[in-house]
Amino acid sequence: MELLFLGTSAGVPTRTRNVTSLVLDLQHPTRSELWMFDCGEGTQHQLLRTAAHPGKLNKIFITHLHGDHLFGLPGLLCSRSMAGNIHPLTIYGPPGIREFVETSLRISGSWTDYPLEIIEIKPGVVFSDDAYTVTAAALNHPVECYGFRIEECDKPGALDGAALVAAGVPFGPLFQQLKRGESVTLADGRTINGADYLSPPRPGKKLAIFGDTAPCENALALASGVDLLVHEATLESAMEEKANSRGHSSTRQAAMLARDAQVKKLIVTHVSSRYDAEGCAMLLAECRTVFADTRLAEDFATVRV
């Protein structure tokens, strides 16, 4: 998996940071999909400066209905249609997301030429298939706001081909059955159990992507043990009370959550426009005093998971 940050500013854009959006490239071996999380104003312009193609967007997850996370959505949907994309798109978001999208399209005389599904979510599993599960939980913000936990299914262990050949199993189609853990019967009557020749399953990747939030219990549960946590750090530690009063977190609080949840890596984003490059360096330093493996997101930065 790979994350591409399209916007990392809080509330309003700056000269160097657009408002919130990021894209998750699943990099799955059998399907080419991009999942977007939030779509602040100007997101489609940010996409134009990357290799990510809107036509490959399969899902858009909206954390909450504040404008800096949402106002880019109607334009992106229309441009995707005008470009001739026919691939289906599903939007997941809090109650009200359907009304926002449908009203924006209706009163502007716009439409989509591709299948568009809008799912208004509630806490729990919002999507699951044979490769991924996405779980949502409510966070602590003035409007209904969600964080998402994305879990990749465990991958089968490697097949010990050399041991199978040594056991007299002919190389060929039987290997595929054994790779799936099935049993096969050889010409000499012996039964070979594939599970006996597989290494342990490889754990799938896990990541958590949060909307805006002040500290809360659900955040810890969503982030527990993930490979990567994307968390807001709107203000510095000295302004923690102000951050919390508006449903946001400080640098220290984001880093404390990463530490307590035992995540592997923390990416902080949603930085207040009050901070210039020097201020951002200070924010990162504050995080690293609590959780060393922290990175401050920048627009167009990519992070492998």
Side-chain angles (χ1 to χ4, degrees):
M1 298 182 184
E2 186 173 81
L3 282 176
L4 167 63
F5 287 87
L6 297 175
T8 58
S9 181
V12 297
T14 72
R15 293 182 182 275
T16 58
R17 294 178 183 272
N18 197 48
V19 284
T20 301
S21 182
L22 64 86
V23 168
L24 173 64
D25 185 346
L26 298 179
Q27 298 186 335
H28 193 275
T30 63
R31 61 203 228 194
S32 178
E33 292 184 16
L34 301 177
W35 294 0
M36 177 176 284
F37 291 81
D38 284 334
C39 189
E41 179 184 1
T43 291
Q44 65 171 320
H45 294 271
Q46 298 290 91
L47 273 173
L48 292 173
R49 299 175 58 185
T50 74
H53 194 283
K56 291 187 176 181
L57 282 174
N58 178 267
K59 303 181 187 303
I60 299 178
F61 296 87
I62 300 297
T63 61
H64 64 296
L65 304 185
H66 277 160
D68 58 318
H69 296 253
L70 181 67
F71 284 169
L73 188 56
L76 176 61
L77 296 179
C78 293
S79 293
R80 190 178 186 273
S81 183
M82 293 174 69
N85 292 307
I86 60 174
H87 302 294
L89 177 66
T90 304
I91 299 172
Y92 302 82
I97 185 65
R98 179 185 301 279
E99 180 182 2
F100 174 81
V101 171
E102 292 180 348
T103 301
S104 297
L105 296 178
R106 176 177 54 81
I107 65 176
S108 64
S110 305
W111 64 89
T112 60
D113 289 328
Y114 50 84
L116 176 64
E117 183 179 12
I118 303 172
I119 298 176
E120 296 193 332
I121 64 174
K122 58 184 179 181
V125 174
V126 298
F127 170 77
S128 184
D129 64 8
D130 60 355
Y132 303 95
T133 297
V134 181
T135 305
L139 299 176
N140 182 4
H141 202 54
V143 300
E144 189 170 353
C145 183
Y146 287 92
F148 297 100
R149 181 184 177 99
I150 303 95
E151 299 183 81
E152 183 182 34
C153 295
D154 291 347
K155 301 174 183 177
L159 186 67
D160 191 342
L164 285 171
V165 171
V169 180
F171 183 78
L174 292 182
F175 272 52
Q176 294 301 316
Q177 293 177 251
L178 295 167
K179 173 72 173 176
R180 295 193 293 267
E182 300 172 5
S183 295
V184 301
T185 301
L186 303 181
D188 60 12
R190 288 183 297 139
T191 297
I192 302 294
N193 185 355
D196 295 336
Y197 294 85
L198 287 172
S199 63
R202 293 172 292 161
K205 297 296 184 181
K206 298 176 176 63
L207 63 154
I209 299 173
F210 285 9
D212 296 354
T213 187
C216 62
E217 291 183 5
N218 281 347
L220 183 63
L222 274 182
S224 179
V226 297
D227 297 284
L228 178 67
L229 168 63
V230 179
H231 194 294
E232 67 136 287
T234 304
L235 294 170
E236 63 195 271
S237 296
M239 302 183 71
E240 196 163 272
E241 184 176 350
K242 180 177 182 179
N244 295 168
S245 71
R246 299 181 178 181
H248 294 294
S249 296
S250 70
T251 49
R252 184 184 72 91
Q253 289 171 326
M256 287 174 61
L257 175 67
R259 180 196 64 196
D260 295 346
Q262 297 183 318
V263 310
K264 293 182 180 178
K265 182 185 289 290
L266 169 66
I267 309 292
V268 290
T269 185
H270 200 265
V271 178
S272 171
S273 59
R274 71 173 57 232
Y275 298 108
D276 57 13
E278 183 178 350
C280 287
M282 179 268 292
L283 296 180
L284 180 58
E286 286 192 346
C287 289
R288 287 178 170 172
T289 61
V290 178
F291 189 79
D293 200 352
T294 302
R295 176 173 171 180
L296 179 70
E298 303 282 352
D299 284 22
F300 309 113
T302 57
V303 180
R304 289 195 60 80
V305 184

